[in-house]
Amino acid sequence: EVQVVESGGGLVQPGGSLKLSCAASGFTFSDSAIHWVRQASGRGLEWVGRIKSKTNTYATAYAASVTGRFTISRDDSKNTAYLQMNSLKTEDTAVYYCSRSTVTTNWACDHWGQGTLVTVSS
Amino acid sequence: EIVLTQSPGTLSLSLGERATLSCRASQRISRTYLAWYQQKPGQAPRLLIYGASSRAIGIPDRFSGSGSGTDFTLTISRLETEDFAVYYCQQYDGPPFTFGPGTKVDIK
């Protein structure tokens, strides 16, 4: 069974840092791209960023709202991706979802975790 | 950045009715890279349609997608109870991979 599970959320002060993890199982992790998507309470979905596979040079891309502050990485030996969040702002408060995409679905995100809540507040 | 606009914001329909949801892009996108997701309260999004018209695994055939260029449509042929939810379109033609604001389908 394909699974992705986020962890690492919590309460952090403005200006602080937090690192989220996305642990994957049930599929060939190294062949997939991993996306992070967030959703503030009562709001819509916001794409945060993506990391491609090793075959695609681990290329990353980010939303303008997080560029320069957030970094996505992955460790294929651990089947895990990460979202390092620095210089956090109150507007970064949201549920953060990890999802995978593969060539099978033209790189659309076909499996999602249940999300981890990040709260940025003093 | 490609901006996606979804209409209507809310669609109030009865069981068995047909739902037609629209997604319009601010510039032309490849139909290969247009997806639709369903989200219910407290749940993660679920992929319904990718490549504008291909159903994801396990998605009932009452869901269908169409369109090209800047205009795309998700159609639910006959609404069932479990279809009342929020629907998002997303383009992943080129980063940033933006989502539309969503259409809420609720019970009339």
Side-chain angles (χ1 to χ4, degrees):
Chain A
E1 180 191 3
V2 173
Q3 279 196 316
V4 291
V5 179
E6 306 91 340
S7 61
L11 175 64
V12 60
Q13 292 188 337
S17 298
L18 203 60
K19 188 172 185 177
L20 307 183
S21 297
C22 171
S25 60
F27 63 99
T28 305
F29 181 76
S30 57
D31 288 344
S32 68
I34 297 295
H35 301 247
W36 289 93
V37 174
R38 68 184 181 183
Q39 186 171 37
S41 181
R43 306 293 295 274
L45 301 172
E46 180 186 14
W47 181 82
V48 172
R50 173 267 287 148
I51 186 166
K52 289 187 173 182
S53 64
K54 180 179 181 181
T55 301
N56 293 292
T57 68
Y58 295 132
T60 55
Y62 301 94
S65 58
V66 306
T67 295
R69 299 188 301 124
F70 289 13
T71 302
I72 300 174
S73 61
R74 62 191 294 163
D75 184 340
D76 290 349
S77 69
K78 295 182 179 179
N79 287 352
T80 302
Y82 304 96
L83 177 64
Q84 176 67 49
M85 304 184 292
N86 298 330
S87 303
L88 282 160
K89 306 175 182 180
T90 55
E91 52 264 41
D92 295 319
T93 295
V95 173
Y96 284 73
Y97 295 103
C98 163
S99 60
R100 76 118 195 223
S101 67
T102 69
V103 65
T104 303
T105 56
N106 292 354
W107 304 102
C109 294
D110 64 344
H111 286 275
W112 297 64
Q114 283 307 300
T116 187
L117 177 62
V118 173
T119 303
V120 185
S121 175
S122 55
Chain B
E1 173 176 316
I2 298 174
V3 177
L4 299 180
T5 303
Q6 291 187 243
S7 61
T10 302
L11 196 53
S12 297
L13 295 169
S14 301
L15 288 171
E17 287 197 292
R18 182 184 189 91
T20 303
L21 287 66
S22 173
C23 176
R24 177 163 290 177
S26 60
Q27 61 192 74
R28 187 188 183 285
I29 59 177
S30 168
R31 60 180 284 115
T32 302
Y33 302 119
L34 191 286
W36 290 91
Y37 299 87
Q38 176 194 68
Q39 189 180 34
K40 297 179 181 178
Q43 296 185 16
R46 177 173 73 144
L47 177 66
L48 298 175
I49 301 287
Y50 63 93
S53 59
S54 297
R55 274 187 299 277
I57 294 172
I59 301 304
D61 60 7
R62 64 180 181 274
F63 290 91
S64 63
S66 62
S68 63
T70 60
D71 291 302
F72 299 87
T73 300
L74 175 70
T75 301
I76 311 171
S77 59
R78 290 184 356 183
L79 281 165
E80 299 194 5
T81 304
E82 60 265 32
D83 300 336
F84 293 95
V86 180
Y87 293 83
Y88 297 93
C89 58
Q90 183 199 24
Q91 67 79 22
Y92 47 108
D93 195 358
F97 298 153
T98 47
F99 287 91
T103 291
K104 182 178 181 180
V105 178
D106 65 16
I107 299 176
K108 188 173 182 179

